[in-house]
């Protein structure tokens, strides 16, 4: 049935009003959803949550103040032909972060980089974790050997286990010394 040669049935006015109503409802829903999203974003800004989330994201990706330290560590190991693999990071909840790497993918050789908010926090946390709050320590037991080097707010930890305890030790200690000397 054609009306006026345009192909619309005689009830086209009702169809147009239903379509118009649907468009208005969809636009209203979209506006409300966007509005709720904007309110949530504004809330995060005013409560500092957005900033905190950004800082944690930047730290875990090696950006921010600790980025140059991690890059220096990566470059120093690469220069010795040692790959830092299986990079993992964790925020300590006190404005600090820790990174853990396996040397050349071996679970027997682990490097940990602890970056704390200040010297006092480093001393307290290292004492909690390793039973030592000094700037240098070697902890040996039947399972392996852990060597710690610290300066200012940073602690570098190398743990080697099994029969391969000495494979990387000399290189790792040279790198630790070099990286810690770069701290200002």
């Amino acid at each position: 049935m054609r009306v006026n040669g345009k192909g619309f049935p005689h009830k086209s006015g009702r169809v147009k009003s239903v379509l118009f109503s649907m468009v208005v409802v969809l636009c209203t829903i979209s506006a409300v959803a966007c509005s709720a999203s904007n309110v949530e974003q504004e809330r995060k800004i005013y409560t500092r949550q957005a900033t905190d989330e950004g800082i944690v994201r930047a730290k875990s990706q090696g950006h921010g103040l600790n980025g140059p330290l991690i890059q220096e560590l990566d470059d120093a190991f690469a220069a010795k032909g040692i790959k830092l693999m299986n990079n993992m990071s964790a925020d300590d909840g006190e404005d600090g972060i820790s990174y853990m790497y396996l040397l050349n993918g071996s679970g027997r050789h682990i490097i940990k980089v602890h970056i704390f908010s200040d010297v006092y926090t480093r001393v307290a946390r290292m004492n909690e974790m390793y039973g030592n709050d000094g700037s240098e320590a070697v902890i040996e037991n039947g399972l392996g050997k852990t060597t710690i080097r610290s300066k200012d707010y940073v602690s570098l930890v190398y743990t080697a286990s099994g029969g391969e305890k000495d494979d990387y030790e000399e290189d790792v200690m040279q790198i630790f010394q070099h990286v810690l000397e770069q701290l200002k």
Side-chain angles (χ1 to χ4, degrees), residues 11-100:
K11 297 181 181 181
S12 67
R14 193 179 312 163
V15 172
K16 287 180 183 177
S17 70
V18 169
L19 287 175
F20 180 75
S21 297
M22 287 176 54
V23 167
V24 167
V25 167
L26 289 173
C27 288
T28 304
I29 290 171
S30 295
V32 169
C34 289
S35 212
S37 175
N38 288 343
V39 167
E40 179 64 18
Q41 288 175 350
E42 288 292 320
R43 184 193 62 76
K44 284 183 174 185
I45 290 170
Y46 289 118
T47 63
R48 190 172 155 76
Q49 183 179 352
T51 302
D52 293 342
E53 288 174 359
I55 290 169
V56 168
R57 207 170 24 256
K59 283 182 177 181
S60 68
Q61 295 170 358
H63 304 296
L65 296 177
N66 60 333
L69 174 76
I70 296 302
Q71 188 60 53
E72 188 69 35
L73 188 76
D74 287 341
D75 293 346
F77 274 100
K80 297 270 187 189
I82 301 171
K83 293 180 186 176
L84 295 178
M85 301 173 72
N86 300 78
N87 178 9
M88 294 186 288
S89 64
D91 182 7
D92 69 1
E94 297 178 342
D95 293 331
I97 191 164
S98 294
Y99 296 90
M100 185 176 89

Side-chain angles (χ1 to χ4, degrees), residues 1-179:
M1 169 182 338
R2 294 174 65 97
V3 176
N4 297 333
K6 294 186 180 181
F8 293 111
H10 69 285
K11 297 181 181 181
S12 67
R14 193 179 312 163
V15 172
K16 287 180 183 177
S17 70
V18 169
L19 287 175
F20 180 75
S21 297
M22 287 176 54
V23 167
V24 167
V25 167
L26 289 173
C27 288
T28 304
I29 290 171
S30 295
V32 169
C34 289
S35 212
S37 175
N38 288 343
V39 167
E40 179 64 18
Q41 288 175 350
E42 288 292 320
R43 184 193 62 76
K44 284 183 174 185
I45 290 170
Y46 289 118
T47 63
R48 190 172 155 76
Q49 183 179 352
T51 302
D52 293 342
E53 288 174 359
I55 290 169
V56 168
R57 207 170 24 256
K59 283 182 177 181
S60 68
Q61 295 170 358
H63 304 296
L65 296 177
N66 60 333
L69 174 76
I70 296 302
Q71 188 60 53
E72 188 69 35
L73 188 76
D74 287 341
D75 293 346
F77 274 100
K80 297 270 187 189
I82 301 171
K83 293 180 186 176
L84 295 178
M85 301 173 72
N86 300 78
N87 178 9
M88 294 186 288
S89 64
D91 182 7
D92 69 1
E94 297 178 342
D95 293 331
I97 191 164
S98 294
Y99 296 90
M100 185 176 89
Y101 304 91
L102 302 180
L103 297 185
N104 288 328
S106 171
R108 293 178 182 255
H109 300 278
I110 300 170
I111 298 293
K112 292 183 184 173
V113 179
H114 300 288
I115 303 171
F116 300 98
S117 57
D118 55 57
V119 175
Y120 306 108
T121 304
R122 176 190 58 82
V123 169
R125 296 301 164 260
M126 291 302 288
N127 196 30
E128 287 174 11
M129 290 187 284
Y130 299 98
N132 185 290
D133 56 11
S135 60
E136 293 188 10
V138 177
I139 305 163
E140 270 191 273
N141 60 32
L143 299 174
K145 179 178 179 182
T146 298
T147 307
I148 302 169
R149 297 292 184 262
S150 300
K151 181 180 175 186
D152 297 335
Y153 57 94
V154 175
S155 288
L156 305 174
V157 180
Y158 171 53
T159 301
S161 62
E164 306 170 3
K165 285 189 265 188
D166 299 326
D167 287 359
Y168 298 106
E169 185 172 18
E170 185 178 328
D171 289 334
V172 170
M173 291 304 106
Q174 288 174 0
I175 292 168
F176 280 9
Q177 182 67 32
H178 169 75
V179 169

